[in-house]
Amino acid sequence: MNTKYAIGVDYGTESGRAVLVSLENGKEIADHITPYKHVVIDEKLPESDINLDYEWALQHPQDYLEVLQQSIPVILEKSGVHPDNIIGLGIDFTACTMLPLDKNREPLSNNPSLKDNPHSWVKLWKHHAAQDEANQINAIAEQRGEHFLQRYGGKISSEWMIAKIWQILNEAPEIYEEADLFVEATDWVISKLTGSLVRNSCTAGYKSIWHKKDGYPSKEFFRALDPRLEDLVDTKLRGEVVSIGTKAGELTEEMAKLIGLNAGMAIAVGNVDAHVSVPAMGVTQPGKLVLTMGTSICALLLGDEEKEVEGMCGVVEDGIIPGFFGYEAGQSAVGDIFAWYVDQAVPEYVKHSAVEDGMNIHSWLEKKASDYKPGETGLLALDWWNGNRSVLVDTDLSGMMLGMTLQTKPEEIYRALLESTAFGTRRIIDTFTNNGLEVNEIYVCGGLPHKNKLLLQIYADVSNRVIKIADSFHTPALGAAMFGAVSAGAANGGFDTIHEATKKMARIKEEVIVPIPENVIIYEKLYQEYVLLHDYFGCGENHVMKRLRAIRVNAI
């Protein structure tokens, strides 16, 4: 009767998931997924049929609110838990997923006079059309000797806030002028729940070049980018930056009626999907690399001090766990690569064989690929189907497969793609360790670890490290719920710190994946070949991928 609960809402790339969690042991009591009605908008704008350019990825803000309105009532009904016993709610989100707001804090895409302009919509994390702006940001920051650049591995990504804002200014100045604020989607959703808008320190630090001690870059830097950006921080990026793990506000009467919870309930400051997974797996100390494995991979590591690491997405003090420096790196496509292959490239006989064997295509290919030993396929791939996030930070790079013959089978290609993503992760691990950050073991969560055992064994063998697996199928939502419980505080049945929440609610499986010594030896040889290709095509010796992209753009 005295059990208290929290809700975590995990906003992914294609859907949102609400999970009701017990504060006693972190067990999920009920969950519900709401697919986004508009999914990823990357070809045409809704209703208007306006074509989008290459590398665009947008979303509809209403889809986010429908997750709250549809999924939360369902989990309440399924669980039978009374709202009086639910003390807090937290959300996590993809990032940088940003949108322009008007003076009423409403998305510009809701305005009938602006909705036909693509720049008025939410720009999803994997919107890469601001690469030109990112290149200029990096060049100017390097010329000026801006110290902040090294906190982001030497490059600011096209996926992040400033590059996306500058693209809007360059291509749609009328939208830039109309925007009262540019915000992360996670902060906007929190504002709809609480009635007030605050910026969370996690996305501000990792995605908006904000620093706990130094703040944003100087006006002089923004003026050097573009005189029109000089006052960006004071105007369209204004607003309090609030630490994660604190309370953003309380649930409004209006939203309480819509979603079936009690008004006044604690709402946590917004957070990032990968980052909330760290405490949800019990990781609160350095030396443990957390990989959130889904459409992409986010690699997260804690450190005792701030170090400069090539190609990292950022290092932020208190960015993941208070009291530590949180390091982020990642890969722009992992599950997306496997999905591309299954959807676009496997022959019909594979699809028929999978149906006959009562399996989905991924499972069928995984089973067949498991029959091969490391190196037996003779194939080697670069995992850049959606560019490279770490350590090269270059979205203009593309995928490559080497070693195919007339005898190459679909399952061999599939295995080579799995291996390529493991090599990409190993490159990130090596970069961390070469800069004095220990990586002693790996923790994994997300959809892929629960679906593909071959993938996990390959990662263990390539990295030569033990892998531990999340016990929850909804690790980000669990982490978000933990922060929701912290926002409520111990006085209300929650926790005063994320460390306290972790002790009771974090969950990992007893099963571990151990490297196979003979596989480690072979994969070390293959990895060295991967590094040669990685550096040859990614570090400037051969820009053929960029030249092909330029030819393609000019041909369209």
Side-chain angles (χ1 to χ4, degrees), residues 436-470:
L437 295 167
E438 291 187 1
V439 178
N440 300 320
E441 55 186 0
I442 297 173
Y443 288 66
V444 297
C445 63
L448 285 177
H450 296 288
K451 298 175 184 176
N452 199 316
K453 294 300 182 185
L454 173 61
L455 181 70
L456 291 188
Q457 188 62 60
I458 290 172
Y459 271 61
D461 295 341
V462 169
S463 67
N464 195 21
R465 286 168 173 83
V466 169
I467 293 179
K468 297 181 178 180
I469 308 167

Side-chain angles (χ1 to χ4, degrees), residues 129-147:
Q131 186 61 50
D132 287 345
E133 284 76 11
N135 292 340
Q136 293 180 69
I137 290 171
N138 292 325
I140 293 170
E142 187 171 356
Q143 290 168 7
R144 289 174 51 85
E146 296 284 352
H147 178 68

Side-chain angles (χ1 to χ4, degrees), residues 26 43 55 75 139 151 170 198-199 236 294 322 363 415 482 540:
E43 294 182 359
E55 297 284 15
I75 62 173
R151 292 199 295 266
N170 284 335
V198 295
R199 298 181 185 272
K236 300 176 190 297
S363 298
R415 182 175 181 119
M482 290 167 66

Side-chain angles (χ1 to χ4, degrees), residues 27-286:
K27 291 287 187 182
E28 292 100 356
I29 307 304
D31 66 89
H32 183 264
I33 296 174
T34 298
Y36 299 150
K37 187 181 300 182
H38 303 88
V39 199
V40 178
I41 304 167
D42 56 8
E43 294 182 359
K44 295 177 182 292
L45 285 182
E47 302 175 9
S48 63
D49 284 341
I50 290 176
N51 290 322
L52 298 177
D53 291 333
Y54 187 59
E55 297 284 15
W56 277 64
L58 308 177
Q59 287 194 317
H60 198 308
Q62 185 60 33
D63 289 348
Y64 306 147
L65 301 183
E66 289 181 358
V67 172
L68 300 173
Q69 295 169 22
Q70 294 181 22
S71 288
I72 290 179
V74 171
I75 62 173
L76 292 176
E77 182 179 359
K78 288 168 65 175
S79 69
V81 172
H82 195 278
D84 288 351
N85 292 319
I86 302 173
I87 64 167
L89 181 149
I91 73 170
D92 67 82
F93 230 101
T94 60
C96 168
T97 295
M98 58 82 75
L99 69 161
L101 301 180
D102 64 20
K103 292 181 180 180
N104 296 316
R105 304 290 193 264
E106 292 299 322
L108 293 189
S109 57
N110 288 356
N111 187 327
S113 67
L114 301 176
K115 70 180 181 66
D116 289 345
N117 189 316
H119 285 290
S120 72
W121 292 78
V122 175
K123 284 184 169 62
L124 184 59
W125 67 269
K126 63 178 181 177
H127 175 89
H128 288 158
Q131 186 61 50
D132 287 345
E133 284 76 11
N135 292 340
Q136 293 180 69
I137 290 171
N138 292 325
I140 293 170
E142 187 171 356
Q143 290 168 7
R144 289 174 51 85
E146 296 284 352
H147 178 68
F148 70 76
L149 199 60
Q150 299 313 310
R151 292 199 295 266
Y152 299 95
K155 287 185 179 180
I156 301 302
S157 171
S158 66
E159 295 180 359
W160 298 354
M161 179 70 78
I162 305 304
K164 287 174 174 173
I165 290 175
W166 198 7
Q167 186 199 10
I168 293 172
L169 177 60
N170 284 335
E171 298 180 11
E174 68 279 13
I175 296 297
Y176 181 89
E177 290 301 322
E178 194 70 27
D180 184 59
L181 291 171
F182 293 105
V183 302
E184 287 277 354
T186 188
D187 294 332
W188 178 70
V189 171
I190 290 295
S191 77
K192 300 302 286 187
L193 289 165
T194 65
S196 61
L197 180 66
V198 295
R199 298 181 185 272
N200 74 88
S201 61
C202 185
T203 54
Y206 288 105
K207 311 300 179 182
S208 294
I209 326 182
W210 176 85
H211 188 263
K212 183 178 179 180
K213 295 182 177 67
D214 301 340
Y216 292 100
S218 66
K219 284 189 175 186
E220 290 75 19
F221 170 71
F222 282 108
R223 184 170 62 244
L225 296 182
D226 188 316
R228 298 172 295 174
L229 290 173
E230 180 176 2
D231 295 323
L232 175 65
V233 171
D234 295 333
T235 56
K236 300 176 190 297
L237 285 181
R238 72 186 189 278
E240 184 182 7
V241 178
V242 181
S243 297
I244 56 170
T246 57
K247 188 168 80 170
E250 298 177 348
L251 187 64
T252 65
E253 291 277 359
E254 179 184 0
M255 283 302 295
K257 291 177 182 177
L258 284 174
I259 63 180
L261 296 173
N262 289 343
M265 186 185 67
I267 305 295
V269 170
N271 215 320
V272 178
D273 51 0
H275 299 60
V276 295
S277 300
V278 175
M281 298 188 70
V283 174
T284 57
Q285 296 293 328

